[in-house]
Amino acid sequence: MDQTYDQFMQDMLGLLADPSYFESWTSDPTNPSLDLPSKVLFPVVASDVVAAVNFAMEHGLEISVKNSGHSYQGASSKKDTLLLNMNRYIHYAPTGITDCDPSILDTTVAEDLSNQPCLLSLAKNKSSMIRVGGGENF
């Protein structure tokens, strides 16, 4: 049986006017639109991430991370987690490549962990590092 456009629109308006339609959609635990974190943080420096991980451990929260790019399916979102959205995380250099000063090799890791990537790089006899997707490669 073919349905005309007007009949289709009448059926849709009737469906949308029914409160039980929305209740069933918003209470369906398999609805992927409801896979939202319970909390979101925007770390700026490594110490923010450390504090977030400590907070999550103390409060029994699982962590999810959104680095860069996007996913139309929300692959970085997980229900009831602490989401670390890394889009405000500092960039060490415009090109992503940072030359490491060898004179810092005998220093300790800074409280905000800002020198940790270069310390690790230098300890591996690498003179620089490159940031990729919110992390470092040596």
Side-chain angles (χ1 to χ4, degrees):
M1 175 168 141
D2 289 336
Q3 190 177 36
T4 67
Y5 176 78
D6 290 336
Q7 289 170 325
F8 171 77
M9 290 306 293
Q10 269 187 315
D11 290 346
M12 288 303 296
L13 288 174
L15 181 64
L16 294 175
D18 181 3
S20 66
Y21 170 75
F22 287 108
E23 288 169 15
S24 67
W25 185 80
T26 58
S27 63
D28 178 6
T30 63
N31 181 348
S33 298
L34 301 178
D35 287 342
L36 299 174
S38 56
K39 294 158 187 55
V40 180
L41 292 175
F42 294 86
V44 178
V45 294
S47 58
D48 292 345
V49 176
V50 171
V53 170
N54 288 336
F55 177 88
M57 288 189 325
E58 289 171 16
H59 294 88
L61 290 171
E62 199 173 339
I63 292 178
S64 56
V65 179
K66 179 176 179 61
N67 274 328
S68 58
H70 63 277
S71 167
Y72 291 114
Q73 295 141 340
S76 62
S77 295
K78 187 172 181 188
K79 188 174 185 168
D80 296 329
T81 61
L82 172 60
L83 173 67
L84 301 183
N85 187 319
M86 303 303 290
N87 72 352
R88 294 184 190 160
Y89 196 78
I90 59 169
H91 294 277
Y92 293 100
T95 62
I97 299 171
T98 300
D99 291 322
C100 298
D101 179 4
S103 70
I104 70 163
L105 192 54
D106 292 327
T107 62
T108 59
V109 176
E111 188 174 320
D112 69 354
L113 306 178
S114 60
N115 66 344
Q116 185 182 35
C118 272
L119 284 173
L120 288 170
S121 182
L122 292 167
K124 294 181 175 194
N125 293 320
K126 306 291 181 184
S127 61
S128 60
M129 61 157 192
I130 185 168
R131 289 186 38 80
V132 178
E136 287 84 18
N137 289 325
F138 309 98

